[in-house]
Amino acid sequence: MTFFALAFVGKQNSGKTVLLEQLIAELTSRNYNVGTLKHHGHEGFDFDVEGKDSWRHAEAGSRFTVISAPDKIAMIRQLDAPENALATLAAMIAISTAGEAQGTRPLNIILVEGYRHGGLPTVELFRADNPKDAERELGGEGNEIIAVVTDIPRIKAAAEEQDVPCFPFNSPTLLADYIELLMQNMPST
């Protein structure tokens, strides 16, 4: 199975989840089968609770949603059939992400929220009204930065100096266009 994976990193309240909701909806409208992975850096979490990030990812159209913490992992897979037999469910669990259950389309792209040091190509977010971004510098999150989403002039200037594409918030169409270009030109995971 071939898919493209891209990380979105930034401090808390930098707009990652809102951007991913918009991007998931945009990419699914273009007929991509999108999966998401949410990194949760603390022990313990609630999963699929209305209003939480993982719930919001699924509501936006993610077909496979994963949240990971140091002590557990949880996944929700949207099904194309109304209900699966127990044997089918067992097979889905056994193959997990190594393969696809009969009757489902494989994922084209996985959007990762977090995993600053995960080694994936990364979109870094900076928001002017987030105090945690006031002194933060471009590229300080650990991965190879391939794009920036910001409304902070000094970050826009730094991105321009480093030839890193920069996008405004609330422009999922432009970012989706760029991601499609990346998918055509970069090796798949």
Side-chain angles (χ1 to χ4, degrees):
M1 178 168 80
T2 302
F3 59 87
F4 180 77
L6 184 62
F8 292 77
V9 301
K11 297 295 182 186
Q12 183 181 14
N13 297 320
S14 63
K16 296 181 301 293
T17 301
V18 170
L19 176 64
L20 283 177
E21 286 176 300
Q22 295 170 346
L23 199 51
I24 292 164
E26 179 64 29
L27 290 168
T28 57
S29 76
R30 297 178 185 203
N31 205 31
Y32 286 100
N33 205 18
V34 178
T36 56
L37 173 60
K38 161 74 173 154
H39 184 250
H40 184 80
H42 310 288
E43 289 189 10
F45 58 82
D46 292 326
F47 186 72
D48 205 33
V49 175
E50 185 171 340
K52 292 286 190 178
D53 293 351
S54 55
W55 180 87
R56 291 168 65 182
H57 290 183
E59 284 295 305
S62 177
R63 303 282 298 154
F64 195 90
T65 303
V66 177
I67 184 168
S68 174
D71 61 336
K72 60 183 169 180
I73 188 170
M75 298 176 247
I76 292 182
R77 175 71 185 256
Q78 304 297 325
L79 302 175
D80 295 327
E83 186 172 10
N84 284 305
L86 180 56
T88 302
L89 292 172
M92 286 172 60
I93 292 167
I95 62 173
S96 187
T97 59
E100 293 296 321
Q102 185 177 10
T104 61
R105 292 186 310 147
L107 299 176
N108 304 100
I109 184 168
I110 297 175
L111 304 177
V112 178
E113 183 174 336
Y115 283 102
R116 292 189 308 243
H117 301 285
L120 291 176
T122 299
V123 177
E124 196 168 15
L125 284 77
F126 296 82
R127 186 175 287 284
D129 62 0
N130 185 3
K132 294 177 182 178
D133 285 336
E135 301 299 321
R136 198 162 65 92
E137 297 298 325
L138 179 63
E141 293 294 318
N143 291 341
E144 173 196 0
I145 306 304
I146 56 146
V148 175
V149 176
T150 190
D151 57 357
I152 301 174
R154 70 177 175 78
I155 298 298
K156 288 179 187 178
E160 193 173 292
E161 286 175 19
Q162 297 177 34
D163 289 325
V164 176
C166 191
F167 299 91
F169 284 96
N170 298 318
S171 294
T173 302
L174 293 174
L175 191 52
D177 290 345
Y178 180 65
I179 290 170
E180 282 186 314
L181 182 65
L182 291 174
M183 290 172 68
Q184 294 168 6
N185 295 314
M186 291 180 75
S188 298
T189 302

